[in-house]
Amino acid sequence: MTKQNDNKVRIHRVYTKQVLEPEQEISLAGPAAHYLGRVLRVTAKDAIVLFNGDGHDYVTEWVRAGKGEIILLVASRLPAVPEPGVSITVVQAISRGERMDQTLQKCTELGAARFQPLLSERVEVKLKADKLEKRMEHWQGVVIAACEQSGRAVVPEVLPPLRFHDWLKADADACRLVLAPGAGTPLARSDFPVAVQIVVGPEGGFSDTELQQMTDKGIKSVSLGPRVLRTETAAPAAIAVIQTRAGDFK
Ligand code: SAH
């Protein structure tokens, strides 16, 4: 949320769901106001840049701090960092705790467009219906924090988890590539269109049956070299390969 530049003016990039228009006042309340006001002790000297996912940054001027809220004046709308040319969906079999968070954080930094959590055979996480909403809120929060930090002004969506078989049936026309250790074709030499889904197994990988079912659906297996990567390493590594090929890392 915070950046330090050479002149020691602190710039804070903060996400809000509100509509943002130049010359309008905005009230930040709740956790964002608490964090800025109480934790970071932001004052009129600091620069607060807001974004709401519409692809722009909104530079603000400090108006005042009230009880539990901070009032800002939206001064200008600026184009933010460009989004990648390739739209990458990360289909990630749900991994345990921190690992899933790392996947979401790193892949957001690297330019993923959206996330599809997947419940495959070897997923060890149990998601009861009453916990699901909280978990998804947490995941979306991790993605938003990664956008605040990395300068992205478009927030990747975290879709509701799908069971492997439901996901397999849906979206049959999409270009889907499953990352599989030992696959004959390297991702680095695969062709992909402007929208691609990369599919990553959980800690224990996909079962042979699942891999076969994906093959039967025309989903190509691709490898990321000879070493077996941890599940949270695979998706960021794949995005780096795709972004390099697509010319985004220039
Ligand atoms: N023992 C498991 C390892 C799973 S690693 C197995 O052999 O399948 C977790 C996931 O990371 C895998 O399901 C795969 O999607 C991805 N992955 C790990 N290393 C990889 C590699 N070298 N190439 C492609 N995908 C890889």
Side-chain angles (χ1 to χ4, degrees):
M1 195 180 261
T2 305
K3 274 188 196 155
Q4 198 99 27
N5 74 11
D6 291 335
N7 302 322
K8 301 275 189 275
V9 173
R10 292 188 299 170
I11 302 170
H12 309 279
R13 264 187 104 244
V14 181
Y15 174 77
T16 174
K17 285 197 171 130
Q18 300 177 71
V19 174
L20 297 169
E21 283 289 342
E23 290 169 41
Q24 284 189 3
E25 280 191 3
I26 280 287
S27 160
L28 286 184
H34 176 82
Y35 187 70
L36 287 169
R38 293 292 161 105
V39 181
L40 297 176
R41 303 203 167 274
V42 166
T43 64
K45 292 199 304 294
D46 301 308
I48 298 176
V49 173
L50 300 177
F51 68 103
N52 62 7
D54 71 357
H56 294 92
D57 273 348
Y58 294 83
V59 179
T60 68
E61 285 164 15
W62 180 271
V63 178
R64 64 177 182 280
K67 205 171 178 338
E69 65 169 352
I70 291 173
I71 313 290
L72 300 166
L73 175 71
V74 178
S76 58
R77 177 195 276 133
L78 300 175
V81 293
E83 285 295 298
V86 181
S87 165
I88 305 168
T89 299
V90 177
V91 182
Q92 173 70 53
I94 300 171
S95 50
R96 297 184 82 86
E98 287 249 299
R99 292 192 172 168
M100 192 68 183
D101 291 0
Q102 285 177 6
T103 298
L104 296 166
Q105 184 194 64
K106 307 304 175 209
C107 293
T108 299
E109 291 168 26
L110 288 162
R114 80 186 56 71
F115 296 93
Q116 173 62 70
L118 203 61
L119 289 155
S120 67
E121 205 176 304
R122 296 188 185 148
V123 165
E124 293 170 32
V125 178
K126 300 268 171 287
L127 273 183
K128 298 213 187 76
D130 57 327
K131 295 268 164 65
L132 181 62
E133 206 172 317
K134 268 216 120 73
R135 196 96 284 247
M136 285 191 55
E137 250 173 53
H138 169 78
W139 286 337
Q140 194 67 64
V142 172
V143 167
I144 287 170
C147 288
E148 288 175 335
Q149 179 274 325
S150 65
R152 279 186 80 179
V154 175
V155 179
E157 190 183 2
V158 182
L159 298 165
L162 281 179
R163 298 201 170 279
F164 176 81
H165 291 105
D166 296 328
W167 165 79
L168 195 60
K169 279 185 280 177
D171 249 358
D173 295 337
C175 171
R176 300 189 275 188
L177 300 173
V178 58
L179 303 180
T185 317
L187 174 62
R189 273 192 267 124
S190 304
D191 290 323
F192 40 81
V194 290
V196 61
Q197 302 194 7
I198 52 169
V199 188
V200 188
E203 287 87 338
F206 287 114
S207 69
D208 289 346
T209 314
E210 287 171 330
L211 285 168
Q212 188 57 51
Q213 286 169 335
M214 287 191 267
T215 306
D216 293 346
K217 280 272 179 196
I219 299 175
K220 230 169 60 179
S221 296
V222 292
S223 95
L224 288 169
R227 288 156 295 274
V228 177
L229 309 173
R230 284 197 186 264
T231 180
E232 70 273 25
T233 312
I239 296 179
V241 170
I242 294 170
Q243 296 280 57
T244 305
R245 288 278 308 276
D248 188 76
F249 282 0
K250 58 186 186 298

